[in-house]
Amino acid sequence: MLMGRTKPPIYGLLAEFDTPARLVAAAERARKEGYRCMDAYAPYPVEGLAEALKFHHTRVPLITLIGGIVGGLAGYFMQYWIAAINYPLNIGGRPLHSWPAFIPVTFELTILGAALSAVLGMLGLNGLPMPYHPVFHVPRFALASRDRFFLCVEATDPKFDRQTTQRFLESLDSRGVFEVPH
Amino acid sequence: MIEPAAYMPGPEMNRLQWRALWIGVAVLGVCILGAFRSPAQFFHSYLLAFLFWTGMALGCLAIAMLHHLTGGSWGMVIRRLLESGSRTLPLMALLFVPLFFGRHWIYSWTRPMNLPRQQLEYLDVRFFLTRAVLYFVVWLALAHWLGKWSHEQDRTGDRRLLRKMQWLSGPGLVLYGLTGTFAAVDWMMSLEPRWYSSIFGLLIIGGQVLSAMAFVIVVLVLLTAYQPLGRVLQPRHMHNLGKLLLAFVMVWAYLSFSQLLIMWSGNLPEEIPWYLHRLEGGWRWVGVLLILFHFALPFFLLLSRDLKRTGPKLALLAMLVVVMRMVDLFWLTAPEFSPGRFHIHWMDIAAPVGMGGVWLAVFAWHLKTRPLLPVGDPYLAVVLEGEHE
């Protein structure tokens, strides 16, 4: 990923904020400044944060759609195979392939397939559960699950510079800027 | 408090009102000429138009009440459209009168029929009229009070009005569920008195809410070409409305299919002919049209996030849904007048268009008298400013 460059000496810089609005404003400012390798941490979903980080088009919807289609097709053909091929039964003189009767199970399995692939796809893409992450080295980061909001600019960012970035983050109305070791 | 004058609609609303009125009156006039040639056909088409536009007004009322209970900026941007829609109900009460006088051409039970005694007692002309009056009293009262309090809120910004509207909306939705169900039984299901379906009322109610949702999306997107809505509306508002449209499309499909599945499984001689009348002699293709364009196409397109956030695309799709709502009502009613043989008359299109013109004129007339956003609502600031407060 670093393509021949040496691994940066630190993971990045972490800025702490009091309110979600300040975090969103800081993320917007940092993007305008040209930073791209950033992540934000908050105790609850903050509206507008994903937009500020331009973190939009994940592949989770596509995985969910595929999971739903696979679930639906599997549900339908499972019933078709049972009712028409494997164990044909005459039920009230209806055709063996009675599609209206297959719809409820097809519907349920579509949802099951979509829901499972949404959860598993989300976990697969975001790498959770994550027992170790460099930001854990900053003791105050524990507050990210309580009442503080954090923005981390990672050292892999082409624009990252230990001193300039630190000064930039300090200028953003933050409560403090911390170095994140690896 | 926000300055109301800044949110008043422009002169385009006046133009819409008069154009819609003249077109509506002209088309209805042609239909009345047609009524002299074939009165039965006129009333069949008139019933379709009446059901469609009453459903539109009721759907607006229902979504407005839903929004009073749930809150959310999605409803704030369409509240004035919903209120204007529900305030067309006096017009619909007026338009019920010709329907009542044309009942002999519409409802077979107005003639002597071999039906169980209890059913004959229910399908009694006086009782039928009493019920219709009762439905309209309930609907007009709900639309009147919600509209009145909302207007007061514009002027005073009084927080107690918010509570009042919430208090009315809960019982109001229950009343709408009951009256909507009985109205669907009286005006639609009784076209075939021997047939009954307990899900039918809910199916019609779901359709009404869907019609209204699609309609307000179309109007809202058209209004974004003008101020003040042009500067207020953001993609996230359209996104939320698109999600609700998707939900209501699915509710309609779910209820329609549930009815079919239950009747198909039961395979009873009282129930099945209703579907046979709608599947034979060309009617089947109307049903296929419904599956494709009332469900499949809107469903798959509305899965797309980008489509939901792009006003014009969403409005185009919503327009299709409005048209398909009409096709659905046509498929539910018209086969009773021509079972097993597809039949469409020019008045089946002209009557809904004509009545729609008049309806739209009343809608625009209500819309232009008030600011396009509920300026007195304490939560409006969230809509105007945006995200993270």
Side-chain angles (χ1 to χ4, degrees):
Chain A
M1 190 183 142
L2 296 173
M3 296 203 294
R5 280 165 57 191
T6 48
K7 195 176 173 186
I10 56 166
Y11 177 79
L13 286 168
L14 188 70
E16 178 187 333
F17 299 93
D18 275 334
T19 66
R22 280 188 187 143
L23 172 62
V24 174
E28 273 164 0
R29 281 278 308 280
R31 259 203 77 84
K32 277 209 194 89
E33 200 74 10
Y35 292 104
R36 291 296 175 269
C37 299
M38 287 186 294
D39 211 346
Y41 306 87
Y44 52 82
V46 175
E47 207 183 331
L49 186 56
E51 282 83 355
L53 289 169
K54 291 273 179 288
F55 184 76
H56 247 160
H57 290 274
T58 73
R59 277 176 296 165
V60 177
L62 182 67
I63 294 172
T64 311
L65 180 67
I66 293 171
I69 291 172
V70 170
L73 289 176
Y76 193 91
F77 285 106
M78 175 189 76
Q79 294 174 88
Y80 175 78
W81 178 75
I82 293 169
I85 296 170
N86 191 42
Y87 203 79
L89 262 184
N90 182 338
I91 302 169
R94 290 191 180 82
L96 293 174
H97 179 205
S98 286
W99 67 267
F102 297 171
I103 297 294
V105 171
T106 306
F107 173 70
E108 298 293 347
L109 283 185
T110 306
I111 294 178
L112 182 70
L116 282 181
S117 50
V119 173
L120 295 177
M122 178 268 291
L123 290 179
L125 290 176
N126 67 14
L128 288 173
M130 195 181 289
Y132 171 75
H133 193 283
V135 289
F136 296 159
H137 287 305
V138 179
R140 287 193 66 81
F141 185 75
L143 296 173
S145 55
R146 285 169 68 182
D147 57 355
R148 289 285 189 273
F149 304 82
F150 292 89
L151 180 70
C152 183
V153 178
E154 289 153 24
T156 49
D157 194 295
K159 235 189 145 272
F160 186 86
D161 176 81
R162 182 68 187 77
Q163 262 72 43
T164 343
T165 308
Q166 169 119 24
R167 273 197 302 278
F168 169 70
L169 286 176
E170 276 163 358
S171 72
L172 290 179
D173 214 4
S174 62
R175 278 179 66 95
V177 177
F178 312 99
E179 189 182 280
V180 185
H182 276 291
Chain B
M1 189 154 154
I2 295 148
E3 185 51 51
Y7 293 99
M8 288 305 283
E12 67 278 356
M13 207 63 78
N14 214 25
R15 269 204 311 274
L16 170 73
Q17 182 196 333
W18 289 107
R19 266 184 213 167
L21 186 67
W22 293 131
I23 292 173
V25 168
V27 176
L28 273 187
V30 175
C31 286
I32 289 167
L33 290 183
F36 288 105
R37 276 179 63 99
S38 47
Q41 179 60 51
F42 171 79
F43 281 111
H44 299 165
S45 308
Y46 188 89
L47 174 73
L48 177 67
F50 175 80
L51 291 172
F52 182 80
W53 291 106
T54 308
M56 191 66 92
L58 288 175
C60 285
L61 179 64
I63 300 175
M65 292 193 286
L66 204 61
H67 177 250
H68 284 308
L69 292 181
T70 63
S73 62
W74 63 269
M76 213 69 86
V77 293
I78 57 171
R79 200 167 106 192
R80 277 296 128 83
L81 307 183
L82 297 171
E83 284 166 3
S84 303
S86 57
R87 288 167 76 210
T88 61
L89 277 165
L91 171 74
M92 299 323 294
L94 200 67
L95 290 173
F96 178 76
V97 176
L99 190 77
F100 182 71
F101 285 110
R103 64 187 182 277
H104 296 289
W105 281 289
I106 300 171
Y107 299 108
S108 55
W109 50 263
T110 51
R111 294 181 291 276
M113 249 187 130
N114 187 18
L115 289 172
R117 192 175 55 83
Q118 295 90 334
Q119 209 175 346
L120 284 174
E121 278 166 11
Y122 185 82
L123 293 175
D124 168 69
V125 173
R126 255 175 310 173
F127 192 23
F128 175 82
L129 183 63
T130 314
R131 287 194 305 268
V133 170
L134 184 73
Y135 308 147
F136 273 110
V137 166
V138 170
W139 298 337
L140 290 175
L142 288 172
H144 172 76
W145 290 115
L146 289 176
K148 184 175 179 288
W149 290 334
S150 192
H151 188 44
E152 274 177 38
Q153 193 188 40
D154 273 3
R155 281 177 296 139
T156 61
D158 190 348
R159 268 178 176 273
R160 273 174 310 180
L161 290 164
L162 203 68
R163 299 283 297 166
K164 268 174 146 175
M165 286 189 274
Q166 284 175 348
W167 274 104
L168 185 61
S169 292
L173 274 175
V174 174
L175 281 174
Y176 167 61
L178 290 172
T179 51
T181 298
F182 277 95
V185 170
D186 286 9
W187 301 343
M188 294 182 77
M189 209 161 98
S190 79
L191 288 171
E192 167 52 286
R194 276 173 294 260
W195 180 76
Y196 54 87
S197 159
S198 47
I199 209 170
F200 192 73
L202 206 56
L203 177 61
I204 299 305
I205 287 175
Q208 291 174 343
V209 173
L210 175 59
S211 306
M213 197 72 218
F215 171 75
V216 294
I217 288 176
V218 174
V219 177
L220 190 69
V221 170
L222 290 177
L223 286 177
T224 50
Y226 304 95
Q227 297 309 340
L229 282 182
R231 61 173 187 269
V232 172
L233 274 176
Q234 295 163 20
R236 67 193 170 94
H237 295 131
M238 298 321 298
H239 193 181
N240 287 335
L241 294 172
K243 285 180 199 166
L244 283 168
L245 188 67
L246 173 62
F248 291 134
V249 163
M250 289 199 289
V251 165
W252 174 84
Y254 176 82
L255 294 172
S256 300
F257 180 75
S258 300
Q259 180 180 282
L260 172 77
L261 180 65
I262 290 165
M263 303 237 154
W264 175 84
S265 308
N267 205 17
L268 298 173
E270 307 90 275
E271 294 176 347
I272 286 293
W274 191 86
Y275 274 106
L276 294 182
H277 291 164
R278 282 159 183 76
L279 291 174
E280 285 168 355
W283 288 116
R284 172 192 302 267
W285 299 108
V286 183
V288 170
L289 204 67
L290 286 174
I291 295 173
L292 290 180
F293 296 106
H294 199 313
F295 171 65
L297 185 74
F299 173 76
F300 282 107
L301 288 181
L302 282 170
L303 289 179
S304 155
R305 172 189 165 92
D306 288 332
L307 185 132
K308 279 179 287 201
R309 292 176 77 91
T310 316
K313 286 189 200 166
L314 186 65
L316 218 55
L317 189 68
M319 193 91 89
L320 173 75
V321 172
V322 172
V323 173
M324 290 316 292
R325 283 302 311 135
M326 182 80 78
V327 176
D328 184 38
L329 287 176
F330 181 65
W331 189 73
L332 289 173
T333 56
E336 285 311 327
F337 309 122
S338 167
R341 200 173 54 83
F342 178 74
H343 171 76
I344 187 164
H345 193 268
W346 61 266
M347 280 198 279
D348 287 329
I349 296 161
V353 168
M355 198 184 282
V358 178
W359 190 91
L360 214 56
V362 176
F363 172 81
W365 174 55
H366 283 304
L367 199 56
K368 75 176 183 187
T369 55
R370 294 180 185 182
L372 276 173
L373 289 173
V375 287
D377 194 297
Y379 296 108
L380 185 65
V382 185
V383 178
L384 297 178
E385 276 173 36
E387 343 248 89
H388 28 84
E389 281 313 303

